[in-house]
């Protein structure tokens, strides 16, 4: 056992059941179970419409498909992050393997879409406007590197922020067994940190989604 053991996948008879939480999130996205609209349906649909309108306002009315993809990604990440705060639930977004899958796949699709549909416009972005002609080769190299590391920075940011909160909670819980005084302090600090983690779970999902949208609009 070590500090990072909270992120180790556990298996039963060789089957890693904790990864099923990534599929079970779909159950939270079902809006309508009955013909009559319930309060739960109205609440979730209102939140989804508000977030989708925010992304549509940024992307424009002509990019509704992109806004839909980003909105779906946002709610998937938020639900995943929030579920990871509950005890005995596997936090998949704390693993770079999961976040890299999101970042590389989406960024790669948007990158190829932009370069295949408008090669000249995409190539022109590699040299900032007003740059000296002699520095153009170096600017192309620097801009190319900055574009290639985007999916990694996008993914590592999400994984690092989700992992950091869980590690701090684990450190605070380790002092709760010393005495009653340390137990009280540990519970109080973990309660405050849990409230902060609720905000971090939503903010990190929004940051990941908004950066994904901006990258797409830049390449599109």
């Amino acid at each position: 056992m070590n500090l990072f053991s909270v992120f180790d996948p556990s298996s039963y008879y060789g089957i890693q059941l904790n990864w099923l939480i990534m599929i079970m999130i779909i159950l939270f996205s079902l809006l309508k179970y009955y013909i009559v609209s319930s309060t739960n349906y109205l609440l979730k649909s209102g939140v989804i419409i508000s977030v989708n309108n925010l992304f549509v306002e940024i992307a424009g009315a002509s990019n509704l498909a992109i806004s839909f993809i980003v909105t779906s990604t946002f709610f998937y990440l938020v639900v995943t992050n929030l579920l990871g705060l509950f005890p005995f639930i596997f936090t998949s977004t704390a693993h770079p393997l999961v976040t890299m899958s999101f970042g590389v796949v989406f960024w790669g699709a948007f990158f190829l879409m932009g370069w295949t549909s408008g090669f000249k416009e995409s190539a022109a972005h590699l040299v900032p406007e007003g740059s000296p002609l002699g520095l153009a080769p170096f600017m192309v190299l620097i801009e190319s590197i900055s574009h290639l590391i985007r999916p990694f920075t996008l993914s590592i940011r999400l994984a690092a922020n989700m992992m950091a909160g869980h590690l701090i909670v684990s450190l605070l819980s380790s002092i709760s067994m010393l005495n009653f005084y340390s137990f009280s302090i540990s519970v109080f600090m973990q309660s405050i940190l849990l409230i902060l983690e609720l905000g971090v779970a939503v903010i990190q999902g929004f940051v990941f989604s908004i950066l994904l949208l901006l990258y797409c609009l830049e390449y599109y």
Side-chain angles (χ1 to χ4, degrees), residues 63-161:
N63 298 318
L64 295 180
I66 298 174
S67 302
F68 174 77
I69 294 175
V70 175
T71 304
S72 303
T73 305
F74 167 75
F75 281 102
Y76 184 87
L77 292 177
V78 169
V79 174
T80 306
N81 295 341
L82 292 177
L83 286 178
L85 299 178
F86 288 90
F88 306 107
I89 295 183
F90 182 62
T91 310
S92 58
T93 50
H95 283 252
L97 178 63
V98 176
T99 56
M100 286 290 292
S101 300
F102 277 97
V104 172
V105 170
F106 281 118
W107 176 86
F110 297 150
F111 183 82
L112 292 177
M113 178 183 66
W115 279 84
T116 54
S117 61
F119 180 81
K120 292 183 179 180
E121 292 78 5
S122 299
H125 289 157
L126 297 179
V127 181
E129 186 178 357
S131 299
L133 184 61
L135 296 178
F138 300 99
M139 297 302 298
V140 171
L141 179 61
I142 295 174
E143 288 294 322
S144 299
I145 295 175
S146 66
H147 282 275
L148 292 176
I149 65 174
R150 279 182 175 180
F152 301 99
T153 57
L154 185 66
S155 306
I156 297 301
R157 181 188 295 108
L158 175 60
N161 281 277

Side-chain angles (χ1 to χ4, degrees), residues 187-214:
V187 172
F188 176 75
M189 296 299 296
Q190 289 184 68
S191 301
I192 296 178
L193 187 61
L194 182 60
I195 297 175
L196 296 177
E197 282 297 303
L198 292 175
V200 170
V202 179
I203 292 174
Q204 289 304 316
F206 179 77
V207 170
F208 187 95
S209 303
I210 198 68
L211 288 178
L212 201 64
L213 177 60
L214 294 178

Side-chain angles (χ1 to χ4, degrees), residues 11 16 18 23-25 31 48 56 80 83-84 90 131 133 138 158-159 182 185 194 205 210-211 219:
S11 61
Q16 295 183 354
N18 45 15
I23 303 176
M24 293 177 62
I25 294 176
L31 292 179
I48 291 175
V56 170
T80 306
L83 286 178
F90 182 62
S131 299
L133 184 61
F138 300 99
L158 175 60
S182 61
I185 295 179
L194 182 60
I210 198 68
L211 288 178
Y219 296 135

